[in-house]
Amino acid sequence: MKKTVKPLIGISTCIDVGARINPDRTYQFLEISYAEAVAEAGAVPCIISYLQSNLYEDIFKRIDGLLLTGGEDLPTNVPNEAAEVELVLAPEKRMAQDRALLMGALERRMPLLGICYGMQFINLHFGGTLFYDIAHQLPGSRIHKPGNLVYRHRVQIKRGSRLLSIMGRESVEVNSSHHQAVRNVGAGLTLSAECEDGVIEAIESQNDHFILGLQWHPEKAADQNRRNIFSAFTEACERFSASRI
């Protein structure tokens, strides 16, 4: 009988350059709910260490999918636009690693799931733009702000989208813990869900490559929505793994 091997999913991390823990040291950290959600879906979570070498090539020989996690702010990339609120920017070390990971996943057409910062990072890579602060740039919108996930709202999922096939319904309630958002969707991507106020909540690839970006945090809610999302991602990683043999 052929032995079934669980897919190995690489998970990016936040990087603290002396700002949170010890001013003289650099750390990596990850909220454990990401790994829990991956394991619950039947995959093996693999936290990717920060590297400054060509070892990424060896990592990509082993992992079957990439999860880009949440994090700090990203800089505005709209020409001649300067942020008028204070941003807590992700360290360049993190963004450099995420660029390397994202490029490697895209080159191999490896399944890719981006959450919050991860979704925004993917969108920027494809030439999209961001709102650097929803409250400042979209007055009158629902409450979207970092915090303890007490804020919730409904999102409408687009008909014909991959996300609709994953979720099985056109409207779901999600948590809200962000203050930046996708403004214009990048080339090759398409909007697949938005909040009642019009803020973009999900993007995905326009082709059959599994690329899914979510603005909310499904990993932090042990519900059917989380199970649907991570199960679909894991299944895509299983197919990718089988295609390598």
Side-chain angles (χ1 to χ4, degrees):
M1 180 179 294
K2 183 179 179 180
K3 184 178 179 180
T4 300
V5 178
K6 294 181 177 180
L8 187 67
I9 295 179
I11 307 177
S12 70
T13 69
C14 291
I15 296 180
D16 172 42
V17 188
R20 298 179 185 223
I21 306 171
N22 185 319
D24 300 319
R25 297 181 182 179
T26 298
Y27 298 86
Q28 281 187 277
F29 62 97
L30 177 73
E31 186 163 343
I32 62 172
S33 57
Y34 291 106
E36 289 175 336
V38 167
E40 177 188 66
V44 177
C46 173
I47 298 172
I48 300 176
S49 298
Y50 176 73
L51 302 169
Q52 291 180 303
S53 68
N54 59 0
L55 288 177
Y56 289 114
E57 185 68 28
D58 292 317
I59 287 174
F60 279 111
K61 290 177 182 177
R62 291 164 170 80
I63 64 173
D64 303 302
L66 176 65
L67 170 56
L68 287 179
T69 61
E72 291 92 347
D73 296 336
L74 287 161
T76 177
N77 68 329
V78 176
N80 303 314
E81 178 181 83
E84 296 180 354
V85 300
E86 184 177 359
L87 301 179
V88 181
L89 295 176
E92 178 53 40
K93 284 188 175 182
R94 172 168 190 182
M95 291 192 286
Q97 179 170 35
D98 287 343
R99 290 186 198 103
L101 294 176
L102 179 57
M103 288 295 295
L106 292 174
E107 287 171 5
R108 294 162 177 80
R109 292 181 60 83
M110 179 176 287
L112 175 63
L113 175 62
I115 293 176
C116 201
Y117 159 101
M119 164 181 161
Q120 297 163 7
F121 194 88
I122 292 169
N123 188 60
L124 291 181
H125 174 82
F126 282 91
T129 58
L130 299 180
F131 289 113
Y132 63 78
D133 184 73
I134 296 171
H136 181 76
Q137 295 180 286
L138 296 172
S141 61
R142 295 288 298 274
I143 297 176
H144 303 263
K145 60 187 295 186
N148 58 6
L149 301 176
V150 297
Y151 304 109
R152 299 184 67 82
H153 54 73
R154 298 200 72 80
V155 299
Q156 296 298 126
I157 301 175
K158 299 296 185 182
R159 293 182 179 180
S161 65
R162 179 192 297 273
L163 183 59
L164 180 59
S165 67
I166 291 171
M167 304 302 283
R169 47 194 172 134
E170 294 183 13
S171 178
V172 295
E173 186 176 76
V174 302
N175 53 44
S176 184
S177 181
H178 64 106
H179 78 103
Q180 296 189 313
V182 168
R183 176 187 280 185
N184 295 310
V185 177
L189 302 174
T190 187
L191 186 160
S192 53
E194 58 186 350
C195 179
E196 300 153 312
D197 58 12
V199 170
I200 294 175
E201 290 280 342
I203 57 176
E204 60 185 62
S205 61
Q206 293 179 351
N207 54 42
D208 61 355
H209 182 186
F210 189 105
I211 301 175
L212 180 63
L214 303 174
Q215 189 55 68
W216 71 91
H217 285 269
E219 79 286 354
K220 294 183 181 179
D223 57 13
Q224 190 59 45
N225 291 341
R226 168 171 123 165
R227 288 187 285 274
N228 288 344
I229 291 164
F230 280 90
S231 292
F233 180 44
T234 296
E235 289 168 5
C237 294
E238 288 174 340
R239 292 191 295 272
F240 177 81
S241 178
S243 71
R244 305 169 95 170
I245 299 173

